[in-house]
Amino acid sequence: MPPATTLEERVAALEKTVAQLLSRSDATITKKDWRSALGMFADDPIMREIDEEGRRIREADRQQVQP
């Protein structure tokens, strides 16, 4: 059986363990945030073509629906 410890010692040990676990998880998990993708294709000519083609498709769909 482990030696008797005070409540303060036990809490300190738990805080240390939690801090270690949190620091490990932060280092191993990369945070995926959609905002990191903003501007990723800025001034990319191929992306401009893709955007324009999408606009043409949507406009053609709108024209088919309108009487």
Side-chain angles (χ1 to χ4, degrees):
M1 189 164 173
T5 57
T6 66
L7 180 59
E8 289 82 11
E9 292 170 333
R10 291 173 56 197
V11 170
L14 285 172
E15 288 175 342
K16 181 179 177 182
T17 302
V18 169
Q20 289 172 344
L21 290 172
L22 288 175
S23 68
R24 258 193 271 159
S25 69
D26 286 344
T28 58
I29 297 173
T30 57
K31 295 182 181 183
K32 293 186 179 183
D33 187 354
W34 62 269
R35 291 173 288 196
S36 66
L38 290 176
M40 170 184 252
F41 297 107
D43 300 323
D44 184 342
I46 295 172
M47 198 63 202
R48 276 192 226 124
E49 288 179 40
I50 292 169
D51 289 341
E52 185 56 38
E53 185 61 28
R55 282 187 207 96
R56 277 183 268 190
I57 291 170
R58 288 190 301 276
E59 186 58 36
D61 288 346
R62 284 187 201 108
Q63 303 249 335
Q64 288 179 351
V65 173
Q66 295 176 355

